[in-house]
Amino acid sequence: MKIKEANAGALTNFEVLDFLRSRGASKDPTRVIVPIAPSGFKVYDYLVESAACNQTKEHVKEFLERCKSYKLAKAEVLNIINLRPSALVEIDPIIEESEKRFGEQLEELVNLVVEVLPEPPTQKLPEPESNEVKEDTVDGKNMDEDKMETETGEQIDKDQTEPNEDGEQIVVS
C-alpha cells in the first residue's frame, strides 16, 4: 500500500467504510481472521447502518462537483455527505448562518442532496409484542399455574410451599 499524502484532511464516513471493507471488515460474526481491531469493527457496525453504506465514489464525486456553486466550507460539505440531510430542518444545523447565506437556495441544496446522495438504509422498526400472556418467571419460561420455580430453577407444586414470616414462599418437606 502506497501512502499518497499522510494526514491530508478529514475523511467522509464513506471513505472510512470503504477503507474498512478493503481491510476485510464485514458482518461476519466470527471476525477472527481479519486484521482489524475490535474498535474498527464497532466503527464498521455503525457505518453500515448510516448513509455511508449506500454511497459510492461516483455519488460523492458528483455531489462535490455540483455543490461547488454554493461555496460551502469543507466541514459543511463533509457533514452533508456524512449525514445526508433530506429536509431544511436537518441541514440548518450543519450550515452556519444558512438563511442569511443562502435564503431560497437552501431548498435547492437540500434537493441536490436528495437527488445525488442515496438514501440511508431503512431503520428496522421494533416488532409489535405478541398477545400471548407469559407467566412471570426469572428467565421467561412458561410454567403451569399450579407450579412455582425455586432459586435453582426447579419447578415444584405450589402445595409444597408455605409463606414464612416475610411472606415469601418456602419449600416444606
Side-chain angles (χ1 to χ4, degrees):
M1 178 170 87
K2 184 178 177 182
I3 298 175
K4 291 183 178 182
E5 190 175 335
N7 298 321
L11 299 173
T12 65
N13 288 350
F14 165 73
E15 292 167 317
V16 174
L17 182 60
D18 190 44
F19 172 75
L20 290 172
R21 284 178 175 156
S22 73
R23 304 267 298 158
S26 70
K27 280 288 191 183
D28 176 25
T30 59
R31 297 178 171 178
V32 289
I33 56 173
V34 180
I36 297 175
S39 60
F41 277 114
K42 287 184 180 196
V43 171
Y44 176 81
D45 290 341
Y46 169 76
L47 292 177
V48 294
E49 300 296 326
S50 72
C53 77
N54 292 332
Q55 293 174 351
T56 63
K57 289 178 185 177
E58 291 76 27
H59 289 126
V60 173
K61 191 173 184 177
E62 181 181 353
F63 179 76
L64 290 172
E65 288 297 318
R66 291 179 62 183
C67 78
K68 281 183 181 177
S69 63
Y70 294 97
K71 297 183 175 143
L72 296 164
K74 288 180 182 180
E76 293 170 336
V77 172
L78 182 76
N79 282 318
I80 290 172
I81 292 170
N82 287 345
L83 300 173
R84 196 206 174 264
S86 58
L88 287 172
V89 296
E90 294 173 342
I91 204 165
D92 189 53
I94 297 172
I95 300 175
E96 191 173 330
E97 299 178 353
S98 58
E99 285 295 321
K100 189 178 188 181
R101 289 171 55 197
F102 297 107
E104 295 297 318
Q105 282 187 316
L106 198 56
E107 187 142 351
E108 292 174 19
L109 179 59
V110 171
N111 291 336
L112 174 65
V113 171
V114 170
E115 178 185 330
V116 176
L117 298 175
E119 286 187 42
T122 55
Q123 299 296 322
K124 293 180 182 176
L125 299 174
E127 293 182 23
E129 292 187 25
S130 66
N131 292 335
E132 291 180 24
V133 177
K134 292 186 178 179
E135 295 289 327
D136 290 336
T137 63
V138 176
D139 60 2
K141 292 187 281 187
N142 288 332
M143 293 190 294
D144 293 336
E145 286 182 27
D146 58 336
K147 294 196 181 250
M148 65 181 300
E149 189 171 326
T150 64
E151 289 180 7
T152 60
E154 181 184 350
Q155 289 188 14
I156 58 170
D157 289 329
K158 285 185 179 176
D159 60 353
Q160 293 178 327
T161 66
E162 62 182 41
N164 66 6
E165 298 119 17
D166 298 329
E168 298 174 355
Q169 294 291 329
I170 57 169
V171 179
V172 290
S173 330

